[in-house]
Amino acid sequence: GAGVSQSPSNKVTEKGKDVELRCDPISGHTALYWYRQSLGQGLEFLIYFQGNSAPDKSGLPSDRFSAERTGGSVSTLTIQRTQQEDSAVYLCASSLPPLGLNEQFFGPGTRLTVL
Amino acid sequence: AQKVTQAQTEISVVEKEDVTLDCVYETRDTTYYLFWYKQPPSGELVFLIRRNSFDEQNEISGRYSWNFQKSTSSFNFTITASQVVDSAVYFCALSGVPSGGGADGLTFGKGTHLIIQP
């Protein structure tokens, strides 16, 4: 069984550009989570999906961040007009239901560098 | 609001020593789950243990053991006879179940960087 996969593994972009990060969860895991890991802030929870639904988007750092999930599987995290403070490792995790109560399996992350 | 505190930023010990990583949490939820994750130099977070708030039994898995005490809101992690391969950043995390239902992502501590010297 494959684990959580994320792409790209590394992304270097220029300030002001949009980026799209992809997460492919473990098959059968209906819960999907996005986190951000940076030196200054540690590991921050961004958003979760139960199926295709994201009930609470308050963890997203700004309105430049958005996420969607289709078909209860792949999710994309989009950052518009990237800023240097967006530089971080973006981690995706998935788990079996119930949401939040089972161990989350993490992907290898996408390292985003905004120049 | 939930909070997890790992007061030890970095610990360095010599191989074969025992080492305890501290974790203190805050939550208003009556039902919650505590986790420990390991992040080796490769970067991928590896799940170690999950404990629910109703189960205060200590757990041992090989050289690893966990001490959960609700009275002090602590969930400490001990590695016995440490090995160089144990070198990693260890994160304690909390997930709550609010009385109104629903759930949220994990609230992580800042992590403890454990260095095991040969």
Side-chain angles (χ1 to χ4, degrees):
Chain A
V4 176
S5 61
Q6 293 185 246
S7 62
S9 54
N10 278 285
K11 177 71 176 178
V12 180
T13 190
E14 292 179 351
K15 179 181 171 182
K17 301 278 191 183
D18 297 351
V19 296
E20 195 171 276
L21 313 179
R22 175 189 168 109
C23 172
D24 211 330
I26 292 172
S27 178
H29 282 191
T30 56
L32 184 147
Y33 311 78
W34 282 99
Y35 295 86
R36 178 169 73 172
Q37 186 173 25
S38 57
L39 278 174
Q41 300 298 322
L43 269 159
E44 301 173 82
F45 165 70
L46 299 180
I47 191 169
Y48 74 85
F49 287 87
Q50 177 59 25
N52 293 332
S53 173
D56 183 1
K57 299 178 181 175
S58 62
L60 294 174
S62 77
D63 57 9
R64 297 184 293 104
F65 286 71
S66 62
E68 65 174 16
R69 188 180 186 194
T70 55
S73 182
V74 172
S75 175
T76 54
L77 177 69
T78 301
I79 309 173
Q80 295 178 309
R81 305 180 303 282
T82 51
Q83 303 294 311
Q84 288 183 333
E85 61 261 29
D86 299 334
S87 296
V89 176
Y90 289 82
L91 294 165
C92 174
S94 71
S95 75
L96 290 167
L99 184 70
L101 306 183
N102 280 309
E103 56 265 37
Q104 297 179 20
F105 295 85
F106 283 80
T110 293
R111 181 175 296 278
L112 175 66
T113 303
V114 181
L115 301 177
Chain B
Q2 299 183 12
K3 185 178 179 181
V4 176
T5 301
Q6 294 180 258
Q8 303 148 312
T9 306
E10 184 174 289
I11 300 175
S12 181
V13 301
V14 176
E15 198 173 21
K16 297 183 184 176
E17 287 185 16
D18 298 348
V19 58
T20 294
L21 309 182
D22 297 334
C23 173
V24 174
Y25 63 91
E26 296 174 32
T27 181
R28 292 182 179 177
D29 297 332
T30 54
T31 302
Y32 52 89
Y33 286 76
L34 294 161
F35 301 79
W36 276 94
Y37 281 85
K38 174 182 180 179
Q39 189 173 43
S42 61
E44 198 154 337
L45 280 162
V46 176
F47 166 80
L48 295 178
I49 190 172
R50 178 190 65 164
R51 172 67 70 217
N52 76 54
S53 52
F54 298 110
D55 183 2
E56 286 193 72
Q57 269 194 321
N58 291 330
E59 181 153 341
I60 298 174
S61 177
R63 295 183 297 106
Y64 295 171
S65 62
W66 290 269
N67 182 283
F68 175 30
Q69 292 194 344
K70 285 182 80 169
S71 60
T72 56
S73 297
S74 65
F75 186 43
N76 296 339
F77 172 34
T78 297
I79 301 175
T80 303
S82 60
Q83 300 176 2
V84 172
V85 293
D86 295 328
S87 296
V89 180
Y90 290 85
F91 291 94
C92 181
L94 169 68
S95 179
V97 183
S99 57
D104 212 329
L106 292 169
T107 298
F108 283 89
K110 295 291 188 186
T112 296
H113 185 197
L114 178 62
I115 300 168
I116 310 296
Q117 299 179 24

